Amino acid sequence: MVTAFDVLEHTDDFHHGFSELCRVAREHVVITLPNAYELRTRLRHLRGKPISQKYGLPAARPSDRRRWFFSLDEARAFVRDSGREHGWQVADERVLLGPQANRIGRAMCRWPNLLCSTCLALLQPRG
């Protein structure tokens, strides 16, 4: 089993990183990708507040720079389509609610692109 929890979005070559996960795994790939369009994040941005030190344009170069900025739907489509391209299929998929989970409920929400912070996918070889 190969895991990558909130890792790929920090790399220069996201697609190559995903390919390598698929190449070295034998039975499963477990991956999480963040949803940059979550409402809590977007509201901070719209109010002119920093989302985190990983976003924006600071005077000094940060040691950890988030390079990829995508929605939950884009993350899900990427994992499904790129996995298929490399001979894998999504065996299970979940969306995770962020720290405000108690306020909006723990069940699958109606608007995952706005309310869910993370995409979690379990891939297995096709066939």
Side-chain angles (χ1 to χ4, degrees):
M1 178 184 298
V2 175
T3 62
F5 300 136
D6 289 345
V7 171
L8 291 180
E9 69 274 10
H10 297 279
T11 64
D12 287 320
D13 196 343
F14 190 103
H15 297 79
H16 177 72
F18 184 83
S19 296
E20 286 297 294
L21 296 174
C22 294
R23 183 184 68 79
V24 300
R26 292 189 180 167
E27 292 185 31
H28 294 100
V29 174
V30 181
I31 185 171
T32 62
L33 297 171
N35 175 18
Y37 287 81
E38 177 191 15
L39 184 60
R40 181 175 48 97
T41 303
R42 302 303 285 166
L43 288 175
R44 287 190 60 78
H45 182 69
L46 290 172
R47 289 191 313 241
K49 296 185 178 189
I51 297 170
S52 82
Q53 294 176 347
K54 298 175 185 176
Y55 294 98
L57 188 59
R61 183 170 195 247
S63 60
D64 180 18
R65 180 76 182 159
R66 194 172 297 242
R67 294 177 168 85
W68 297 90
F69 196 80
F70 44 83
S71 71
L72 184 68
D73 286 344
E74 290 172 314
R76 293 164 85 181
F78 173 83
V79 170
R80 182 188 61 243
D81 297 341
S82 294
R84 188 179 312 119
E85 182 180 315
H86 294 290
W88 293 80
Q89 65 186 8
V90 175
D92 196 4
E93 180 184 68
R94 306 290 168 102
V95 292
L96 308 177
L97 300 174
Q100 303 301 321
N102 290 335
R103 290 187 185 173
I104 59 178
R106 296 195 181 276
M108 170 67 98
C109 58
R110 250 182 160 171
W111 304 287
N113 259 324
L114 289 178
L115 301 175
C116 296
S117 63
T118 305
C119 169
L120 168 70
L122 168 67
L123 291 96
Q124 63 187 26
R126 274 192 326 210

